[in-house]
Amino acid sequence: MNKKKVCGNPKIWKDPPGAVMYCPGCQHPVIHRIISEVLEDMGIDGKAICVLGVGCHAFVQISWNLDILSSAHGRALDSATAVKRLNSDAIVFTVQGDGDCIGIGAGAFIGAMVRGEKITTIMYNNTNYGTTGGQLAPTTLLGQKTATTPHGRDAALEGYPVHTAELAATFKGTAYSARGSVHTPADYQRTKRYIKTAFQKQIDGVGFSFVEVLSACPPNWHLSPVKCLKRIGEDIVSEFPLGEFKNEDSTERLSKSK
Amino acid sequence: MTERMFVQGNEAVGWGALYCGCDGFFGYPITPQNEVTQWFAHEFPKRGKVFLQSQSEVGSINMLFGGAAAGFRVMTSTSGPGWGLMQETISHCVAAELPCVIVLVQRGGPGAGSIRHAQMDYITATRGGGQGGYKNIVLAPSSVQEIHDLIQLGFHLADKYRNPLVILTDGILGQVSESIEVKTIDFGPLDKKLWALRGRERQEDGKSRIVNSAVGVLPLPPYPNYISWLKHIEEKYREMEGSELRYETYEAEGADLILVAYGYTARVSKEAVNMARAEGHKVGMIRPITLWPFPYSVIREKAMLGCKFLVVEDSLGLLIDDVKIGVEGRTDVHLVGILDRHIPTDGGMIMPGRVFEEIKRLL
Amino acid sequence: MARGEIIINDNNCRGCGYCQGFCKRGCIVMSEDKFTPLGYILPILADSDRCNACGVCGQMCPHFAIEVYKFIES
């Protein structure tokens, strides 16, 4: 009786052992795994250049056997723009957190979509600034307690959670925008399909492609890992619905899209 | 192949960049450097090179960060407020050892100040305006030809030391038109950029690379830790100081009074020296071409000979601090500055006649 | 009869409990008295016979601590 490995470290995962940098139950590495699988399935990891933001997601740089640029906080899309414009047959993608992409990085994010950069962005959304100890982020839910909203986010003071995937869909330069999660195995597969579609838009040269992925953050949500998944399924998905918000196949259709 | 043309200082930036193989320009509109951005918009795309107008100067400098990390020769140009926005990532470029060129066409400050010429960014250009107390070579042309030449030297030195580099001009030099000779200047061979990001499969050794500016959080080989990396950077600065100092002297032999100036005020000072020499006064000038590294030693030599110093700069007094460091208190150092302009509105300039008055007062 | 097996790398495991939650066949439970070298509670195989090598536990493990193997008739 011999056996075949059906699940283990992704091919492009370096030793030392796995995602040691992450808090128990943090789902960022699950998204790292999805991206690794997509890059390997599409055979594009060898010509990929990953531009990381600053945040928990950026710890992947010690594990991915890819060419990686760790950019200034909020500026991954500016740096990625130049990489793609100068080296257009590389596959250029940014991995950013919610704070990095739509908090401090909102200017770069909007700039890239206005220009329709042929870049793929994966935004990990754990509704807080995780690395720095769980502060309020633009995606923090109303009533959610954070290190800087000790009594819960209050709309009168801190405004409302931002819907990044829906926002991306409003730009003519955006070819694809979707939001997925990894709180169930089914969502894992759906998110993988979204990310594969996003990379395909870049390969086909249609325009900017964006996938937001919800991610559990036990220490900063003050919940056990399993309860975080429950919270995603109930509270977070009702605020941030999952699905595809834009999916265009050609630049001609982009210029006509509303 | 050399070509003669009559161009603005701001356009000479483009010709210099083109003739030394610049791959990409990323800029944002700001007076008084708009002609630079517009030149690249017209001239680069048709040559298959990248021109991109970003959404802000923060965008431009971070595009340089990306383009440089991918191994290309990239540059931007800006002025006052845009220069302020670029400080953080210029520091990241130093940390990640990424070569790029930033042209700073100085305008009046502080704040929005004025959209006309001035020389008020000397400190932030020569002392590292962003976080962490880094250094970068600063080249200061004082003619349209020299703008063309120093852009090419700038790219060479940026690549040689893997460090950002600043070309410091001003609104006057940018708008002035002069005839120049356009040609590729050869500064000698440079190492291949094996460290650049191309995609793992496209690396000669097939190994992936990381470019990162968090040198304390994630020290990259061959530096095992933060301090070993900082030691390497310190050695780089010493090397730059040791071998990249450039300055020009004019009529400085046996002079009783030495003027020190760069950029447009150096042209004004040269005129004033000629006026003084015509009346038999022993006056000379030192013109730093690199503002960092700064020519302290030649200033110290002249101070030890008892020369007096007159700094001519279009600011409240920034370059004067470096001259005082060189002089080390041996003699007095005077200033003709922005308050000595010929008219009080922002179009005012420091005129040769005013400098000549000061020379006569001091002698 | 088990159609596969899993190996848990206790250096990586952080005791988050996802594998227990996601295993549809209840093959994995968090132990009461076994810990990883870093002191996290270690999951153990409660009923390895029911494992059909679906791989979900490995896929959903945030710490890349589980390898899943499928048995193949040689």
Side-chain angles (χ1 to χ4, degrees):
Chain A
M1 179 77 74
N2 48 34
K3 56 185 181 179
K4 179 169 78 79
K5 184 192 279 190
V6 289
C7 181
N9 277 2
K11 200 159 46 62
I12 58 171
W13 205 258
K14 289 189 217 165
D15 295 324
V20 294
M21 297 288 283
Y22 287 93
C23 310
C26 166
Q27 287 199 299
H28 278 22
V30 182
I31 307 169
H32 297 333
R33 177 188 288 277
I34 291 178
I35 296 173
S36 309
E37 287 174 0
V38 167
L39 293 175
E40 288 159 24
D41 295 352
M42 299 177 92
I44 53 176
D45 56 298
K47 55 179 181 165
I49 299 176
C50 171
V51 183
L52 294 172
V54 170
C56 297
H57 59 274
F59 292 126
V60 74
Q61 63 190 276
I62 67 167
S63 304
W64 259 345
N65 184 17
L66 299 174
D67 269 6
I68 292 175
L69 175 61
S70 186
S71 68
H73 190 29
R75 312 320 306 195
L77 272 166
D78 289 328
S79 298
T81 291
V83 174
K84 183 69 178 184
R85 295 258 175 155
L86 288 159
N87 184 355
S88 51
D89 58 16
I91 297 297
V92 180
F93 70 104
T94 76
V95 165
Q96 301 174 255
D98 43 356
D100 185 85
C101 181
I102 198 59
I104 188 171
F109 182 57
I110 286 170
M113 292 189 291
V114 164
R115 296 186 303 264
E117 300 292 345
K118 299 189 176 44
I119 290 169
T120 304
T121 288
I122 316 293
M123 185 183 94
Y124 293 38
N125 177 3
N126 59 7
T127 74
N128 80 98
Y129 280 84
T131 335
T132 44
Q135 290 80 10
L136 166 79
T139 49
T140 297
L141 269 57
L142 290 180
Q144 179 181 336
K145 288 188 171 61
T146 74
T148 43
T149 55
H151 306 297
R153 182 175 190 174
D154 171 358
L157 295 172
E158 289 97 24
Y160 305 88
V162 65
H163 291 237
T164 316
E166 290 86 337
L167 172 67
T170 64
F171 286 83
K172 289 195 170 184
T174 299
Y176 183 75
S177 177
R179 176 183 300 112
S181 78
V182 279
H183 71 291
T184 71
D187 284 296
Y188 180 102
Q189 296 305 332
R190 200 179 308 130
T191 298
K192 180 173 179 177
R193 203 175 61 248
Y194 292 160
I195 290 177
K196 188 172 265 189
T197 310
F199 274 106
Q200 193 58 50
K201 297 298 176 189
Q202 175 171 171
I203 293 166
D204 299 343
V206 183
F208 181 70
S209 48
F210 178 79
V211 180
E212 176 180 348
V213 189
L214 305 178
S215 178
C217 180
N220 292 319
W221 291 3
H222 318 292
L223 291 172
S224 74
V226 174
K227 285 208 178 73
C228 287
L229 303 188
K230 193 163 165 304
R231 178 177 186 241
I232 293 174
E234 290 157 4
D235 311 343
I236 298 190
V237 167
S238 61
E239 176 66 53
F240 295 122
L242 307 179
E244 292 177 324
F245 301 95
K246 187 169 185 183
N247 187 353
E248 292 290 356
D249 288 337
S250 70
T251 43
E252 294 71 36
R253 290 189 51 76
L254 283 190
S255 47
K256 290 196 203 61
S257 64
K258 289 289 162 300
Chain B
M1 198 281 284
T2 72
E3 207 183 323
R4 290 209 70 81
M5 48 177 74
F6 184 72
V7 290
Q8 268 191 346
N10 279 343
E11 288 165 339
V13 169
W15 293 110
L18 178 68
Y19 273 72
C20 71
C22 172
D23 301 300
F25 177 92
F26 305 85
Y28 184 82
I30 184 166
T31 303
Q33 64 76 55
N34 293 309
E35 296 81 5
V36 180
T37 311
Q38 281 149 213
W39 185 93
F40 282 96
H42 288 276
E43 301 297 338
F44 255 35
K46 62 184 177 196
R47 293 178 167 85
K49 288 175 177 279
V50 170
F51 163 78
L52 183 61
Q53 181 174 313
S54 63
Q55 75 280 357
S56 76
E57 290 92 348
V58 178
S60 308
I61 188 66
N62 281 284
M63 289 174 185
L64 262 56
F65 188 79
F72 293 91
R73 276 194 162 180
V74 287
M75 68 172 288
T76 186
S77 87
T78 192
S79 187
W83 165 252
L85 287 176
M86 294 185 174
Q87 298 310 300
E88 183 206 347
T89 292
I90 291 173
S91 180
H92 289 309
C93 288
V94 171
E97 298 196 78
L98 293 177
C100 58
V101 170
I102 301 116
V103 175
L104 172 53
V105 184
Q106 293 178 92
R107 69 187 245 176
S114 96
I115 57 170
R116 309 282 287 267
H117 57 277
Q119 295 181 311
M120 301 171 93
D121 297 320
Y122 178 88
I123 293 294
T124 46
T126 58
R127 292 299 193 282
Q131 69 277 18
Y134 54 88
K135 299 264 198 276
N136 48 257
I137 291 174
V138 181
L139 300 177
S142 72
S143 72
V144 174
Q145 179 69 53
E146 200 173 23
I147 289 175
H148 162 275
D149 299 349
L150 292 184
I151 284 281
Q152 301 199 36
L153 174 63
F155 271 109
H156 177 77
L157 295 178
D159 281 350
K160 178 176 174 184
Y161 293 100
R162 288 183 59 185
N163 206 62
L165 183 137
V166 175
I167 309 279
L168 194 61
T169 77
D170 53 67
I172 288 179
L173 281 178
Q175 305 299 334
V176 137
S177 290
E178 291 173 332
S179 73
I180 65 169
E181 198 187 315
V182 182
K183 59 186 182 302
T184 295
I185 306 167
D186 181 8
F187 295 103
L190 285 168
D191 297 338
K192 275 176 79 169
K193 296 182 177 178
L194 298 177
W195 46 267
L197 305 176
R198 294 179 177 81
R200 195 192 56 242
E201 265 168 23
R202 296 170 176 169
Q203 301 287 8
E204 281 177 22
D205 59 8
K207 291 202 174 65
S208 61
R209 281 139 172 75
I210 297 177
V211 171
N212 182 334
S213 78
V215 285
V217 179
L218 179 77
L220 295 176
Y223 310 106
N225 53 48
Y226 182 43
I227 295 305
S228 68
W229 179 85
L230 274 176
K231 202 174 280 158
H232 155 67
I233 288 298
E234 175 63 18
E235 279 150 20
K236 218 163 67 160
Y237 295 151
R238 291 289 79 72
E239 224 186 295
M240 289 192 229
E241 276 180 318
S243 42
E244 303 307 338
L245 176 64
R246 288 167 171 81
Y247 62 89
E248 185 188 68
T249 61
Y250 178 70
E251 302 278 16
E253 272 323 303
D256 304 328
L257 172 66
I258 299 279
L259 274 58
V260 182
Y262 72 94
Y264 100 83
T265 45
R267 302 280 287 270
V268 167
S269 300
K270 188 172 240 180
E271 188 59 31
V273 166
N274 293 340
M275 293 160 84
R277 283 280 175 180
E279 291 194 2
H281 301 297
K282 291 212 216 88
V283 177
M285 180 174 86
I286 293 172
R287 178 173 75 91
I289 297 168
T290 55
L291 296 178
W292 192 84
F294 188 78
Y296 294 115
S297 48
V298 66
I299 288 175
R300 189 170 309 118
E301 271 162 45
K302 295 296 178 189
M304 287 163 83
L305 296 172
C307 295
K308 287 193 207 144
F309 282 84
L310 173 58
V311 175
V312 183
E313 60 173 315
D314 204 357
S315 80
L316 291 171
L318 304 171
L319 164 65
I320 192 168
D321 294 347
D322 269 332
V323 175
K324 284 179 178 166
I325 290 171
V327 163
E328 289 171 348
R330 287 190 183 79
T331 173
D332 33 9
V333 181
H334 303 276
L335 172 69
V336 167
I338 193 166
L339 301 182
D340 302 304
R341 285 181 169 188
H342 78 298
I343 51 171
T345 54
D346 66 350
M349 289 173 276
I350 295 175
M351 293 298 194
R354 179 64 187 79
V355 177
F356 184 37
E357 266 167 43
E358 197 62 21
I359 290 171
K360 283 184 279 185
R361 196 179 67 75
L362 293 174
L363 284 180
Chain C
M1 229 293 278
R3 276 183 277 135
E5 67 176 0
I6 66 170
I7 299 170
I8 295 175
N9 172 346
D10 59 8
N11 282 322
N12 284 13
C13 175
R14 292 290 184 275
C16 71
Y18 284 161
C19 48
Q20 171 183 272
F22 285 124
C23 178
K24 282 280 170 291
R25 295 172 158 242
C27 305
I28 310 169
V29 286
M30 301 308 286
S31 69
E32 299 297 331
D33 54 7
K34 287 201 179 53
F35 298 93
T36 74
L38 293 173
Y40 294 105
I41 298 170
L42 199 57
I44 53 169
L45 293 171
D47 190 350
S48 55
D49 283 350
R50 289 176 48 75
C51 174
N52 65 1
C54 74
V56 165
C57 58
Q59 208 168 50
M60 300 302 283
C61 170
H63 305 289
F64 292 33
I66 302 176
E67 284 180 350
V68 181
Y69 295 86
K70 186 174 202 142
F71 295 144
I72 311 160
E73 281 73 25
S74 51

